[in-house]
């Protein structure tokens, strides 16, 4: 990269730019002021002041050059605060591309950009992210995730029991892949096959002991709850959701697995399972964990992710 060399450290000019960035931007509603952290300081001391041209033609997409100067992106406090909230990390402005995309580095040393086309994950390190831009490698768009599978019904099994059993498989998969350890299941009953009113919307705590032995008592508790609410499962959509427990931080807090049955009039015993997550979970280590969960759930359903 033009002007960069191993061990580069422009501490004085980088710190002056950092001070201008922090001092000249007012806090905005629902966002704090810029906060410097070690990863951002290290990155700016190494790369500040560089004007890096794009290598044309780009490898996968159009290459773009960039200038490394936090003052070029200091006005983007709100969009980067929202991105940091989604990623579960802090961000600090880093520079601007020739295409006017704004750059930021997070407290793990990863590089991101925001432009009119969306939010992008450029690399696990600043150097990798700059190479993505200047060599025209395909960046990773940060977007919400969703996988869906149809689970073949078990012969003679009640639809709600199939849904509960499938949800408990999801509980195990999410725990096994270190996403989170669920503590309850949420039951939702909607009349008229999902287009009517919600007659039941309650959480039921997972009982202690093995998950294999939890299905029957959970189903019994759900039927008791449905009866107590004066509701019915006939012609209704039943949804059992596995979501992150309280205090789970982003982006894992956005992950959820939902199982529904009764939504199809032609096949009321059909069970569908879906895995979803917010945009912050679509890159890095968390994305790898979710891909592994998707592979596990696809194998359970006997299908491929869709």
């Amino acid at each position: 990269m033009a002007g960069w060399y191993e061990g580069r450290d422009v501490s004085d000019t980088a710190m002056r730019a950092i001070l201008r960035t922090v001092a000249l931007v007012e806090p905005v509603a629902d966002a704090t002021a810029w906060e410097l952290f070690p990863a951002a300081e290290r990155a700016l001391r190494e790369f500040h002041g560089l004007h890096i041209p794009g290598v044309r033609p780009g490898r996968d997409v159009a290459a773009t050059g960039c200038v490394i100067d936090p003052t070029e992106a200091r006005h983007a406090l709100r969009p980067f605060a929202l991105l940091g909230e989604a990623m579960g990390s802090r961000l600090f402005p880093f520079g601007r591309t020739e295409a006017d995309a704004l750059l930021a580095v997070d407290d793990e040393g990863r590089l991101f950009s925001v432009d009119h086309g969306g939010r992008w994950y450029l690399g696990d390190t600043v150097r990798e992210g700059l190479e993505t831009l200047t060599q025209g490698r395909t960046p990773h768009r940060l977007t919400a995730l969703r996988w869906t599978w149809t689970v073949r019904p078990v012969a003679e099994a009640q639809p709600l029991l199939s849904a509960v059993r499938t949800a408990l498989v999801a509980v195990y998969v999410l725990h096994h892949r270190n996403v989170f350890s669920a503590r309850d299941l949420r039951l939702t009953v909607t009349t008229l096959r999902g287009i009517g009113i919600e007659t039941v919307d309650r959480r039921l705590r997972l009982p202690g002991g093995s998950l294999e032995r939890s299905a029957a008592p959970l189903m019994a508790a759900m039927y008791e709850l449905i009866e107590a609410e004066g509701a019915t499962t006939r012609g209704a959509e039943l949804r059992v959701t596995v979501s992150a427990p309280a205090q789970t931080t982003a982006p894992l807090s956005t992950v959820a697995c939902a199982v529904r049955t009764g939504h199809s009039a032609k096949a009321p015993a059909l069970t569908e399972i879906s895995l979803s997550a917010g945009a912050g979970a679509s890159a890095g280590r968390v994305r790898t964990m979710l891909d592994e969960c998707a592979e596990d759930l696809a194998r359970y359903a006997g299908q491929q992710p869709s």
Side-chain angles (χ1 to χ4, degrees):
M1 289 182 286
W4 179 87
Y5 54 87
E6 194 70 39
R8 187 176 188 270
D9 186 352
V10 290
S11 174
D12 290 344
T13 56
M15 293 308 297
R16 283 196 293 269
I18 288 169
L19 289 173
R20 288 197 301 273
T21 298
V22 172
L24 298 180
V25 175
E26 292 292 332
V28 298
D30 300 324
T32 60
W34 291 119
E35 179 183 355
L36 182 66
F37 43 83
E41 180 179 343
R42 287 194 300 268
L44 287 166
R45 287 176 61 167
E46 181 176 355
F47 294 99
H48 177 263
L50 296 181
H51 290 71
I52 308 172
V55 177
R56 294 176 174 79
R59 180 179 300 182
D60 306 310
V61 296
T64 180
C66 59
V67 55
I68 311 304
D69 183 348
T71 63
E72 291 288 328
R74 68 189 180 196
H75 61 282
L77 180 56
R78 178 62 175 168
F80 280 133
L82 291 174
L83 177 56
E85 182 179 340
M87 298 301 301
S89 61
R90 296 173 295 174
L91 285 95
F92 195 83
F94 191 69
R96 179 191 292 270
T97 73
E98 292 174 348
D100 287 332
L102 304 178
L103 303 176
V105 61
D106 81 341
D107 48 17
E108 294 183 28
R110 302 176 296 182
L111 192 63
F112 298 85
S113 72
V114 173
D115 61 17
H116 65 279
R119 302 182 290 182
W120 307 87
Y121 180 75
L122 302 178
D124 290 337
T125 66
V126 168
R127 185 171 181 180
E128 180 182 309
L130 292 175
E131 290 174 349
T132 294
L133 288 171
T134 59
Q135 295 181 14
R137 297 177 181 173
T138 303
H140 181 88
R141 181 187 291 274
L142 297 172
T143 185
L145 302 172
R146 183 178 174 83
W147 295 268
T148 305
W149 307 271
T150 299
V151 181
R152 296 169 185 166
V154 178
E156 300 181 359
Q158 298 179 51
L160 182 56
L161 180 58
S162 295
V164 171
R165 285 175 173 170
T166 302
L168 291 174
V169 169
V171 170
Y172 170 78
V173 167
L174 292 167
H175 173 77
H176 178 66
R177 293 301 181 182
N178 298 312
V179 178
F180 55 71
S181 296
R183 299 193 175 95
D184 56 36
L185 298 179
R186 179 179 179 181
L187 171 66
T188 308
V189 180
T190 307
T191 61
L192 300 178
R193 304 211 180 277
I195 61 173
I197 62 172
E198 291 184 356
T199 55
V200 176
D201 186 10
R202 292 279 297 276
R203 292 184 179 273
L204 293 91
R205 190 164 185 83
L206 288 169
S210 70
L211 291 176
E212 292 179 359
R213 297 180 179 179
S214 298
L218 276 169
M219 188 188 72
M222 288 179 179
Y223 273 124
E224 183 178 341
L225 177 60
I226 291 169
E227 184 178 350
E229 294 291 336
T232 179
T233 61
R234 183 174 300 175
E237 175 185 299
L238 310 176
R239 182 183 294 266
V240 181
T241 306
V242 184
S243 54
Q247 310 306 318
T248 303
T249 58
L252 293 179
S253 59
T254 67
V255 178
C257 195
V259 181
R260 66 173 182 163
T261 188
H263 56 284
S264 171
K266 292 183 179 179
L270 189 70
T271 300
E272 179 189 271
I273 182 170
S274 62
L275 176 66
S276 61
S282 65
R285 178 183 59 87
V286 175
R287 176 58 188 265
T288 299
M289 295 160 62
L290 291 180
D291 285 339
E292 292 172 343
C293 289
E295 291 173 2
D296 292 341
L297 293 171
R299 280 194 294 269
Y300 171 76
Q303 300 177 22
Q304 295 296 318
S306 61

